[in-house]
């Protein structure tokens, strides 16, 4: 089952973020705290959103269906999450969803949870008139790539992601020669 995350989910969301970082061989890069995650998702001006996949099945790996039930239940074990935010396409003139993280615990994969999380985000896009659901995947993550392609997602090979962080970000942000209005 898929449901919107609540503040009570912060500890498990944080644990899942760390599990994902470990899987991606980057656990040492996690510097965020539970409180920062809480503020981003539930603070005065939330900038990100999350959904969780729960399993009410006693832990056998399946979810007893397609995982798409959005009812009021969902008090089972959280086994995965999708954390996302809005982006915007100047070419299309509308918002879209950028999926920052999608993760299902390894022992729960194959039970429909990842598909159900993506289906929920696709439903939100359709309902709100958003025209894109986008995300990045590590080029070595063959199981995820195969899963995404099985859903009809296609890589954007002509685009390369760039990132400024840490010292480079600080240097550019402090540049005195930047014109300001």
């Amino acid at each position: 089952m898929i449901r919107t995350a609540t503040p009570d989910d912060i500890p498990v969301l944080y644990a899942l973020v760390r599990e994902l970082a470990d899987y991606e061989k980057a656990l040492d890069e996690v510097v965020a705290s539970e409180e920062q995650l809480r503020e981003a998702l539930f603070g005065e001006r939330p900038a990100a959103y999350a959904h969780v996949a729960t399993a009410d099945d006693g832990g056998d790996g399946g979810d007893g269906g397609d995982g798409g039930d959005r009812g009021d239940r969902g008090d089972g074990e959280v086994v995965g999450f999708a954390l996302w935010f809005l982006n915007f396409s100047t070419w299309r003139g509308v918002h879209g969803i950028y999926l920052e993280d999608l993760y299902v615990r390894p022992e729960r994969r194959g039970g429909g949870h990842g598909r159900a999380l993506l289906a929920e985000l696709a439903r939100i896009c359709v309902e709100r008139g958003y025209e894109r659901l986008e995300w990045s995947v590590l080029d070595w993550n063959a199981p995820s790539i195969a899963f995404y392609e099985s859903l009809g997602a296609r890589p954007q090979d002509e685009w390369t992601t760039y990132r400024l962080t840490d010292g480079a970000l600080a240097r550019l942000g402090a540049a005195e020669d930047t014109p300001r209005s």
Side-chain angles (χ1 to χ4, degrees):
M1 131 163 261
I2 305 303
R3 64 172 172 77
T4 303
T6 69
D8 290 341
D9 293 317
I10 291 297
V12 71
L13 283 171
Y14 187 72
L16 291 168
V17 166
R18 292 185 55 81
E19 287 178 31
L20 172 60
D22 189 45
Y23 173 76
E24 292 181 349
K25 303 173 179 80
L27 183 57
D28 60 322
E29 295 180 36
V30 177
V31 296
S33 68
E34 283 188 32
E35 191 49 44
Q36 286 173 307
L37 187 57
R38 181 182 312 282
E39 183 64 25
L41 294 172
F42 304 108
E44 187 175 319
R45 295 188 324 179
Y49 309 91
H51 285 78
V52 296
T54 62
D56 299 313
D57 62 358
D60 68 357
D63 65 4
D66 69 359
D69 180 4
R70 293 183 305 274
D72 292 330
R73 296 182 341 262
D75 54 354
E77 172 194 7
V78 173
V79 298
F81 78 106
L83 192 141
W84 57 278
F85 55 88
L86 295 181
N87 60 14
F88 186 80
S89 169
T90 55
W91 291 8
R92 292 184 174 244
V94 296
H95 283 291
I97 286 178
Y98 187 83
L99 175 60
E100 178 65 22
D101 286 330
L102 175 69
Y103 182 73
V104 175
R105 288 191 159 139
E107 67 273 14
R108 303 311 296 227
R109 292 179 188 158
H113 303 294
R115 184 183 193 290
L117 284 161
L118 284 170
E120 178 64 7
L121 297 186
R123 184 195 66 77
I124 291 168
C125 285
V126 170
E127 179 181 273
R128 297 180 185 178
Y130 302 161
E131 294 190 14
R132 290 181 178 168
L133 172 55
E134 298 176 309
W135 62 91
S136 297
V137 60
L138 291 166
D139 58 8
W140 56 259
N141 193 344
S144 292
I145 292 168
F147 168 62
Y148 298 144
E149 289 181 351
S150 78
L151 298 175
R154 296 293 169 250
Q156 300 294 299
D157 293 332
E158 67 274 13
W159 294 93
T160 300
T161 302
Y162 282 82
R163 178 179 294 158
L164 280 171
T165 62
D166 304 324
L169 180 63
R171 282 189 299 278
L172 184 60
E176 294 297 323
D177 60 350
T178 304
R180 292 184 178 89
S181 55

